Amino acid sequence: MNIDTLQKTAPAPTITQAAAGALIAAVHAAAARIGFTAAVAVTDQGGHLRAFDRADGAPFLTAEVALDKAWTAASFHTSTHAWNDYLTNPRIAPLAGHPRLMAVGGGYPITDHGRCVGGLGISGGSYEQDQQAAEEALTALGFELPVG
């Protein structure tokens, strides 16, 4: 192998600050229409916080839960509600002890043109409400929803 031609880095796609802010606004609009207040976290593809907002009236614990949902979704490119089924597998169940893994609906990978560019986490409603607001916001901004 010739080290002079070895590619040592690869560009990592990531959500822009503008898109992260637009997602937060879209989530808050969906949550208001559905009837709840939410904390919303957007991470980059590495699970690092990119943008965050907690609506007036959203309980303080929603902040941490939203961030952990976004981290989980970005880390595995999988929606957080899917983890409920995964954790029934005894070979995967030990991951339930990871302090950041959030196996509750409302976390989605942010996918653009087939590539994960971040994670979206919503907390404040029921898991169904969090999921609905996430799906509406992602769809409104033209991001792809996970299959299944």
Side-chain angles (χ1 to χ4, degrees):
M1 176 178 283
N2 183 344
I3 62 169
D4 293 329
T5 61
L6 176 67
Q7 185 174 344
K8 297 179 184 119
T9 62
T14 193
I15 189 165
T16 65
Q17 185 66 39
L23 265 177
I24 288 174
V27 168
H28 283 311
R33 188 187 55 69
I34 296 167
F36 72 101
T37 57
V40 186
V42 177
T43 66
D44 63 17
Q45 77 287 359
H48 304 286
L49 187 61
R50 189 83 171 109
F52 174 82
D53 187 67
R54 180 169 61 98
D56 293 338
F60 69 87
L61 182 59
T62 60
E64 186 175 330
V65 172
L67 180 55
D68 288 347
K69 286 180 182 183
W71 179 88
T72 300
S75 296
F76 294 96
H77 304 185
T78 304
S79 301
T80 54
H81 62 271
W83 278 93
N84 285 303
D85 290 335
Y86 297 158
L87 293 175
T88 62
N89 180 334
R91 293 182 183 198
I92 298 174
L95 285 175
H98 191 287
R100 302 249 355 235
L101 185 72
M102 188 58 62
V104 178
Y108 283 81
I110 303 169
T111 306
D112 188 40
H113 295 96
R115 299 177 80 178
C116 181
V117 297
L120 172 64
I122 300 169
S123 181
S126 67
Y127 75 89
E128 294 101 338
Q129 291 172 320
D130 292 349
Q131 284 179 232
Q132 182 180 353
E135 290 176 3
E136 287 182 20
L138 289 167
T139 300
L141 271 76
F143 289 108
E144 300 155 21
L145 292 179
V147 177

